[in-house]
Amino acid sequence: MINFANATFVKSCPSRNEKPQDIKTEVLIVGRSNVGKSSLINALTNRKRLAYTSSKPGHTRLLNYYDIDGKFYLVDAPGYGYAKGGIDLDKLFSEMMASYFTNNTELKLALVLLDGRRTLTLDDKEIINYLFTYQIPFYLVITKTDKLNQSEKAALNKHLNEYHIPAEQVFYTSSVQPKTLVSLQKAIEKNL
Ligand SMILES: Nc1nc2c(ncn2[C@@H]2O[C@H](COP(=O)(O)OP(=O)(O)OP(=O)(O)O)[C@@H](O)[C@H]2O)c(=O)[nH]1
Ligand SMILES: [Mg+2]
């Protein structure tokens, strides 16, 4: 059994070349800016401020490595789909992710996050294509389900049905409702 609460921040890396020296299995968390990646890390580990969250998009700009119970790294990736102040974050993101996926034998699972009130963007689909190309198993993690009303839930289900993503690959979560995370934690553990 993995104790998700036994979590520590290890380091922030501009690229995978600077990853922690101690090699461990990696579980990547990706998704557009503001989708709730850092909040999910805090919720999974039952910690308030392990990962920095912000209501302003574009907060996480580096690959942040968190050690979970000495067993694996959760890797918080910068969000995409948001450019600010003339810096082309998406270009940086593409380069960072290309280097991240190349020859990464430690990467065992990716969590692709989707805000329950939104639909998959081209960027999301590009990431999913990367994951298929590199044969990395992934889960689609719906975030912020606490904010969904009935019609938004129906719209989400219709959207997901169009993509034929197997139900066992989709997780409905809220970072403010810890019980929604139990099945995701079990599923992560199964993939290590
Ligand atoms: N109600 C609710 N709000 C959430 C949830 N998850 C995240 N948020 C809010 O959404 C905003 C963005 O959350 P972050 O976790 O910082 O998002 P991120 O994906 O790490 O963002 P970047 O680092 O900018 O890419 C914050 O204001 C969070 O409080 C959730 O499950 N429910
Ligand atoms: Mg973040």
Side-chain angles (χ1 to χ4, degrees):
M1 268 286 281
I2 286 180
N3 177 8
F4 279 79
N6 181 18
T8 49
F9 169 71
V10 181
K11 72 183 287 200
S12 293
C13 315
S15 82
R16 210 172 158 273
N17 296 336
E18 293 83 24
K19 75 185 165 94
Q21 303 236 311
D22 191 7
I23 303 288
K24 285 179 187 156
T25 293
E26 296 179 17
V27 175
L28 177 71
I29 300 191
V30 280
R32 60 181 293 159
S33 245
N34 211 247
V35 68
K37 298 176 293 296
S38 301
S39 302
L40 180 69
I41 290 183
N42 289 336
L44 284 169
T45 57
N46 194 22
R47 299 270 288 275
K48 283 207 163 56
R49 273 181 284 277
L50 182 64
Y52 292 110
T53 63
S54 169
S55 55
K56 284 190 248 123
H59 196 72
T60 308
R61 295 196 180 193
L62 299 165
L63 292 163
N64 292 315
Y65 281 72
Y66 298 89
D67 179 298
I68 308 299
D69 207 19
K71 307 260 175 39
F72 72 100
Y73 294 125
L74 262 183
V75 183
D76 189 7
Y80 44 79
Y82 180 75
K84 189 190 166 199
I87 305 167
D88 190 346
L89 278 183
D90 285 346
K91 183 162 175 284
L92 289 179
F93 179 81
S94 305
E95 288 167 5
M96 185 187 283
M97 294 325 287
S99 89
Y100 182 80
F101 286 120
T102 308
N103 299 324
N104 188 343
T105 51
E106 280 77 59
L107 179 60
K108 293 288 189 282
L109 177 70
L111 307 180
V112 179
L113 272 52
L114 171 68
D115 185 326
R117 297 162 304 173
R118 293 176 174 266
T119 51
L120 289 166
T121 63
L122 282 176
D123 292 324
D124 295 324
K125 291 173 200 165
E126 197 177 313
I127 286 287
I128 291 172
N129 277 338
Y130 262 126
L131 297 168
F132 275 120
T133 306
Y134 290 93
Q135 297 182 307
I136 314 291
F138 74 92
Y139 294 141
L140 183 66
V141 177
I142 311 300
T143 62
K144 311 190 189 183
T145 56
D146 58 287
K147 289 188 170 183
L148 294 183
N149 62 33
Q150 285 308 322
S151 67
E152 286 168 326
K153 278 183 194 165
L156 173 66
N157 285 334
K158 187 163 172 275
H159 176 62
L160 295 180
N161 283 339
E162 283 164 19
Y163 285 96
H164 306 290
I165 301 173
E168 61 274 16
Q169 241 173 291
V170 184
F171 291 82
Y172 296 85
T173 70
S174 162
S175 292
V176 294
Q177 295 170 339
K179 65 176 188 327
T180 65
L181 301 167
V182 176
S183 59
L184 178 60
Q185 288 169 326
K186 285 190 183 140
I188 291 172
E189 190 160 2
K190 233 174 49 194
N191 281 272
L192 300 178

